[in-house]
Amino acid sequence: MCGCLLLLAACGPGTDTPGVGRTPARVVDAPAKLPVPHGTGSEVADDFNGDGHRDLVLDDLVKAHSHADDAGIGIVYGSARGLVPGARQLLAPAAYAARTGGRLPAVFDAEASCDLDRDGFTDLVVSTDPPYDGRGRPPVPLQILFGSPAGLTRAVHLTVPARARAGTDWPDQPVCGDFDGDGARDLVLHASGGRLTYLRGPFGRNGTPRASAAPVPSAGEVPTGPAADVNRDGYDDLVVRTTEGSGTSTIVLGGPDGPTRTGTALPEGLAVALGRFGRGKSLDAAVGTTAETSLRYDLPAAARATLPVPGPRLTTADLDGDGLGELIADGRELKVFHGREAGLSASDTVTVKPPAPGTTRVLTAADFDGDGRADLVVRTYRGETKDTVAVLPGVAVREGLVAKKPTVGFSTSEFLADR
């Protein structure tokens, strides 16, 4: 994903299909390659093959050796029992990227996902490194891989009309959301000079938006996703940062004209996460630094608190299925703060034991097995050529919020055999 920002929320676009009585999947090592299941379309988030089950996007796959080229993006497809490591797809640039000026990109990074063409299959927006001579406006580095019954298809260039651009910056940092409330997913991109590019969906299969206009003035230049309807008015909103490093940020509110209204200003930090940590009417925000997280409850209200955290990386998800989100912070360790009626508390936490030795980071949290509780997906690094991805199911608070043992485990090195 883009740069050094991390913003994850359990309330972005799309819905998960709840279910009961799921049987835990067996932990798998070296899974054999399986066909991608074919679907007919769904409204589930990150469902690239439209079979009604959420899929997982993996950037930064391990390499065959330390000096090898980036293999591409990995997709692990889901099922009624959760992720199936064998049902995977390698999105290598040579096979899936669109050429620019006759050249294939060397960079192929996943940036955002949503159903841009409204066909029931989630699409993936990726960033590339098109050739540029440094004069005038650079080419658009973003491409779209559209979902289909067989999974993601070969990329097309995203069209950003000249009237929607500003300055000579790269049009990048895409965020998906329904910012004008018409039911179609739109894209917001970085422009320059305190402005954002706003592209209205749905998008054509050639990568062209339904409409666009002049760049939108904004309190910052770095749009950050996923989008969420912060104030529950039917329009998606997003966080816009002033910089890619530590800096202030602002909630930009959607409306009939798109993301044009300035909302709550947030303090300086390295990461921002949106979630519903208490019983307020609106969503809450957590802003992380290396030592603590600053909370803003019931935006735009100014009720505030701070929490000690092991690091600045933040994720939000409803792990116990009670309708309130947990805040997951990882750094020196991985700690979960329990969402409850009165909000988060430093005394109501769980420390998650990494499932494998090495440096463990949270990849995402979402309901992959359809039981109504989010699952925590973590990745443990043991060097450029070795890693372990594990799925730790969310459980009831009395059971510790996160299961002690993973239901699925595999290495991204499995994708190397698919080249």
Side-chain angles (χ1 to χ4, degrees), residues 98-154:
R99 293 178 179 270
T100 302
R103 286 174 47 184
L104 282 171
V107 173
F108 209 54
D109 293 332
E111 297 285 356
S113 58
C114 59
D115 185 2
L116 290 170
D117 59 349
R118 302 187 74 174
D119 65 349
F121 300 89
T122 304
D123 312 308
L124 184 66
V125 183
V126 301
S127 63
T128 66
D129 58 341
Y132 177 51
D133 62 9
R135 294 176 294 182
R137 283 182 171 175
V140 177
L142 301 175
Q143 300 184 9
I144 303 173
L145 288 82
F146 287 98
S148 77
L152 290 164
T153 58
R154 193 176 183 94

Side-chain angles (χ1 to χ4, degrees), residues 33 61-74 88-96 106 384-385 412-419:
K33 182 76 181 292
L61 306 177
V62 298
K63 302 175 181 179
H65 54 83
S66 59
H67 299 295
D69 292 335
D70 187 358
I73 302 164
R88 59 183 182 261
Q89 183 180 18
L90 175 62
L91 307 175
Y96 285 90
E384 289 186 278
T385 62
T412 66
S413 62
E414 299 304 322
F415 288 93
L416 298 177
D418 302 337
R419 291 186 294 180

Side-chain angles (χ1 to χ4, degrees), residues 239-259:
V239 172
V240 179
R241 310 278 314 248
T242 54
T243 175
E244 290 192 24
S246 180
T248 58
S249 54
T250 302
I251 305 293
V252 174
L253 302 173
D257 297 321

Side-chain angles (χ1 to χ4, degrees), residues 276-313:
R276 190 164 182 253
F277 308 129
R279 290 293 185 187
K281 295 180 180 179
S282 300
L283 294 187
D284 312 310
V287 181
T289 67
T290 55
E292 68 178 20
T293 287
S294 175
L295 300 171
R296 296 291 187 276
Y297 286 111
D298 201 17
L299 298 172
R304 302 177 181 182
T306 58
L307 294 171
V309 293
R313 288 172 289 273

